[in-house]
Amino acid sequence: MRLDVQQLGKRFENGRWGLREVSLALEGPGFTVVSGPNGSGKTLLARHILGLERPDEGRVLLDGADIHTDLREARRRIAFVFQEPEHQILGMTVDEDVAWTPSRLGWPKARVQASRERALQLTGLEGRGWEPTAFLSGGEKRRLAIAAVLVAEPEMIILDEPFNDLDWPGVKTLLSILLDLHHQGIALLVITHDLEKCLAHADRLVVMNHGSIAADGPVREIWDRLPELGLRRPGPLCGTLEGMTWLS
Ligand SMILES: Nc1ncnc2c1ncn2[C@@H]1O[C@H](COP(=O)(O)OP(=O)(O)OP(=O)(O)O)[C@@H](O)[C@H]1O
Ligand SMILES: [Mg+2]
């Protein structure tokens, strides 16, 4: 799979540019982290990749074809896990929620069943299909949101701030799920401020600022420049009691 974001520009009604000349090529099963200050355009970029927004300039190509030519297939191949899992949980029970997407794909029952079981197992929700979604904890809801997109067998998953509201075990569980998916050949695009929670696993870092790309490359090449890009790099106190804070 190849995704080409070409010279993307988005201008709001108030005349402000939300995205300006954003170009990005993603190919194969990479683990890309997208970071940058609040309001820098990360979610807006994801919305364009999903075809949820129409750009004013440029385009997004999936294997060479404009994303808008077959949005349904593009959204099957590229999944999006929203910042708030509540926004995408539609079923009353876990099973019902995970069945939602494949029911619209017109797949044979056996394929739906196999894909569903695999998704629940990968996200540690096997055997919990009967549970009401309203009773799930925040971390469980996030895993359900991932399971619900996995059933469509996407080639890429975009996750918007997936570590929000997760405690330490929750982050560890989520990270191991993401690494599992990555090893299975699914491309990951993780939008996050929490670099210290996941950057070690990424192969590429994209930093956005004021609607443009401020840096893009292998993590090791950008690592030294994090502070000048406005991102916190864990200091020398990391690993000491004084370093045990996300305040500094
Ligand atoms: N429809 C709109 N009209 C005007 N401004 C908008 C609209 N949609 C988004 N914006 C602005 O575009 C900018 C980029 O928003 P975006 O949600 O992409 O930021 P972000 O990088 O995801 O930030 P955060 O880290 O806070 O999630 C913000 O300043 C936002 O207010
Ligand atoms: Mg955002």
Side-chain angles (χ1 to χ4, degrees), residues 17-30:
W17 288 88
L19 293 176
R20 197 105 207 238
E21 290 181 23
V22 171
S23 293
L24 191 68
L26 297 163
E27 192 164 17

Side-chain angles (χ1 to χ4, degrees), residues 61-78:
L61 303 177
L62 179 57
D63 289 335
D66 194 293
I67 204 102
H68 287 276
T69 49
D70 188 354
L71 261 189
R72 193 182 149 108
E73 179 62 0
R75 286 182 190 156
R76 188 198 64 74
R77 295 178 64 190
I78 306 173

Side-chain angles (χ1 to χ4, degrees), residues 1 3 23-35 42 45 49 155-163 175 178-179 182 186-192 195 198-208 213 215-219 222:
M1 187 192 88
L3 189 73
S23 293
L24 191 68
L26 297 163
E27 192 164 17
F31 187 149
T32 304
V33 165
V34 178
S35 199
K42 305 179 296 295
L45 171 61
I49 293 175
E155 291 158 63
M156 173 186 275
I157 305 185
I158 303 176
L159 300 107
D160 200 354
E161 299 292 352
F163 304 112
L175 257 184
L178 294 183
L179 292 176
H182 180 45
I186 298 178
L188 298 177
L189 193 79
V190 176
I191 300 172
T192 185
L195 295 184
C198 66
L199 196 60
H201 309 287
D203 41 55
R204 179 170 170 189
L205 175 64
V206 175
V207 182
M208 296 196 66
I213 291 183
D216 175 9
V219 174
I222 300 183

Side-chain angles (χ1 to χ4, degrees), residues 6-9 55-60 66:
Q6 294 183 334
Q7 296 287 314
L8 210 62
D56 294 303
E57 289 179 0
R59 56 195 185 153
V60 178
D66 194 293

Side-chain angles (χ1 to χ4, degrees), residues 214-216 220-231 233:
D216 175 9
R220 290 202 177 279
E221 284 177 18
I222 300 183
W223 172 246
D224 282 335
R225 296 172 48 210
L226 289 186
E228 75 193 61
L229 291 163
L231 299 171
R233 200 177 76 163

